[in-house]
Amino acid sequence: MGSVVNMIRFHYSFFKSVPVILAIGAVILFAIVLGALFFSQRAGDESTDAVAANRLNLRILRLLSSIQDAETGQRGFLLTGDERYLGPFTRSVSTLPSEMAAVSPLLAQLDLPQASIDQLKDLMAKKLSELQRTVDLQRAGDTAGALAVVKSNEGIRQMDEIRDIIGQLQQSGIQNSAVHINALRSTTTWLSTIIAISAALLVVLAGGAMKLIYDHTRQIEQAQNELSHINENLEATVAARTESLQRANSELQTYAYIVSHDLRAPLVNIMGFTEELDRASGVFRSYLSRMDANPADPDAKLAIEAVETDIPEALGFIRSSMRRMDNLINQILVMARAGNRELRRERIKLGDLVEEMLATLRHRLDDNDIAVDMADNLPDVQSDRLALQQIVGNLLDNAIKYMDREKAGRIGIRGWRHGMSVTLEISDNGRGIADGDRERIFELFRRSGRQDRPGDGVGLAHVRALTRRLGGDVRVQSTFGEGTTFQVTVAADLEKMKKEEAGA
C-alpha cells in the first residue's frame, strides 16, 4: 500500500510540474513566434526593397539603352537611307516618354534632387527631338541638312549629359540596394540567433519533461503489482456487491408486485361495499318515496337530501378514487413486470416501429389536427421491440395530450446513430415544461403544469426505466409555452452491450 501512496504523491507533484513546464514552453513558443514574425516581416520588407532597388537600376539602364538604340537607328538611316534601320529608333520614340514618366516617381524616392530628374527628362526630350529632326530631313531628301545637325555636336553634348546623370542615378540606386541587402543580412542573422536560442531552451524543457515522465513511469511500474492485487480484491468486492444489488432489486420488484396484489384485495372489498351502499341508498330512497315524506319536515328534508344528493356524490367520489387507485396499482404492476421481463433482441427498423405507433394514435392526431413530420432515414437498432413500443407510445401520447389547443399542433420525429448508440428524437410545439419541472417529470407519480389532462405521473418514469434497461437514457429540452423535445438514446446492439457489461 505504501508504494501506491508514494505513487499518488508523485502523481500529484507530476501533474503540478507539468503545467509549469507547459506554461514555460508556451511562453517560449509565443516569444519565438513573435520574434520570427517580426524578423520575417523585416526580412520580407528589406528583400522587397532590395529587389525594387535592383529593378529600378535595370530600368535606368534601359532608359540609357533605349536612347542609345534610337541614336544607333538614326545613324544607320542617315548613312544608308534604308528605313529598316529605323526600327530601334521608332520603338524608342514610342516607349521612352512613358517609361521616363513611370520611372520619375521612383527616382524621387531615392532622395535625388528633383532638378536632376527634371534635367534628365528635358535632355531625353531634346535628344529625341534632335534625332527626329535629322530623320525628317533625311526623309525629305535633305541629307546635307541632316548631317549639319549631326555635325553641330549638340546631340553628342546631350548624350554626354544624359550618361552623366544616369551614372549618378545608378550610383545612388546601387547604394540604396546595398543598404537594403545589409539590413536583410542583419535581420536574417537576428532571426537565426533567436531560433537557435529558442531551440536550445525547448530542448532543455523537453529534457525536463522527459525526466519527469521517466520518473513517473518508474513509480507506476513499482506500484503495478500492488495495484493488481488491489484490483483483484476490488473486482471480487464489486462482483459481490453487484450480485447483492441485483438480488435487492429483484426483491424490491417482487415486493412491489406483492404490495400491488395485496392492495387490490381491500380495494375489491371497498368496491363491493360501495355497491352495497349504493343498493341500500336505493332501498332507502324507494322507502322515502312510498312514505310520501313531507319536505317541510326538517328530518324528512335531511333524509331526502342524503339519498338524493349527499350519498350519490360521496359514492361518485369513492368510485373515482377507486378507479384512480386501481389504475395506479396496475401501473405499479406494469413497472414491476417490466423490471423482471427478459429483454429479447431483434433487428428493428425504427421507422416502421414509429409508423405502427402513429397508426394506433391516428384518430387522436386527426381529431386534434396535429401534423407529424417524420424523417425518412431513421436508423435500425437491435433491441427489445416491446420496450421500444412502450417508450415511443408514451412519448407520442404525452406530445398529443399536452398540445397547445390554441395553435396548429406539430410533432417532429428524427433519429441518428452515433458510435454504439442510437438516438430517437421526438419534439412538439405544445405547452412546454417549466425549468424547475424538467427532471421531476421523470419521478414516479409526479406531473408538471396544469392538471387538466388525465394521467398518473407514471409514463415518463416508465420511459426512463425502460431506456436505461436498453443501455441508454432519456433527456428533455423544453421552452415553456413553445414546445418540448425528448431525446431517447439506446444501445444500437443490445446483445453486444450485455456482453460488454458481462466482460467488464
Side-chain angles (χ1 to χ4, degrees), residues 399-451:
I400 297 171
K401 185 187 301 182
Y402 296 108
M403 194 63 69
D404 190 344
R405 301 292 186 254
E406 295 182 359
K407 57 184 175 181
R410 187 181 68 255
I411 296 176
I413 302 170
R414 65 188 188 101
W416 60 90
R417 177 165 180 162
H418 46 98
M420 300 303 295
S421 299
V422 167
T423 294
L424 179 67
E425 181 181 277
I426 298 178
S427 60
D428 64 67
N429 64 336
R431 297 179 178 180
I433 302 169
D435 293 347
D437 289 335
R438 287 180 193 164
E439 278 304 312
R440 286 186 289 190
I441 59 174
F442 294 107
E443 297 175 11
L444 194 61
F445 305 133
R446 293 295 295 270
R447 301 175 66 195
S448 68
R450 301 194 308 271
Q451 306 299 311

Side-chain angles (χ1 to χ4, degrees), residues 7 17 26 61 67 105 109 119 122-123 196 198 235 306 310 313 348 350 371 384 386 401 405 413 422 450:
M7 186 199 72
S17 303
L61 287 175
I67 198 69
Q109 295 176 5
Q119 183 183 4
D122 183 57
L123 286 170
S198 301
E235 288 176 2
D310 297 340
E313 286 182 358
I348 302 168
L350 270 183
D384 185 85
L386 179 58
K401 185 187 301 182
R405 301 292 186 254
I413 302 170
V422 167
R450 301 194 308 271

Side-chain angles (χ1 to χ4, degrees), residues 64 67-68 71 75 116 119-120 123-124 126-127 130-131 150 152-170:
L64 180 59
I67 198 69
Q68 287 174 340
E71 188 177 49
R75 288 177 180 175
S116 298
Q119 183 183 4
L120 179 62
L123 286 170
M124 286 283 189
K126 288 180 178 179
K127 182 61 181 177
E130 181 259 336
L131 294 174
V150 173
S152 68
N153 294 328
E154 180 65 21
I156 294 174
R157 185 187 62 77
Q158 291 172 350
M159 279 300 298
D160 289 341
E161 291 183 10
I162 288 172
R163 287 190 183 93
D164 290 343
I165 294 175
I166 287 180
Q168 295 174 12
L169 295 178
Q170 280 188 290

Side-chain angles (χ1 to χ4, degrees), residues 48 50-60 62:
T48 301
V51 171
N54 287 331
R55 287 177 178 171
L56 181 57
N57 288 338
L58 290 175
R59 294 179 75 170
I60 293 171
R62 279 202 299 269

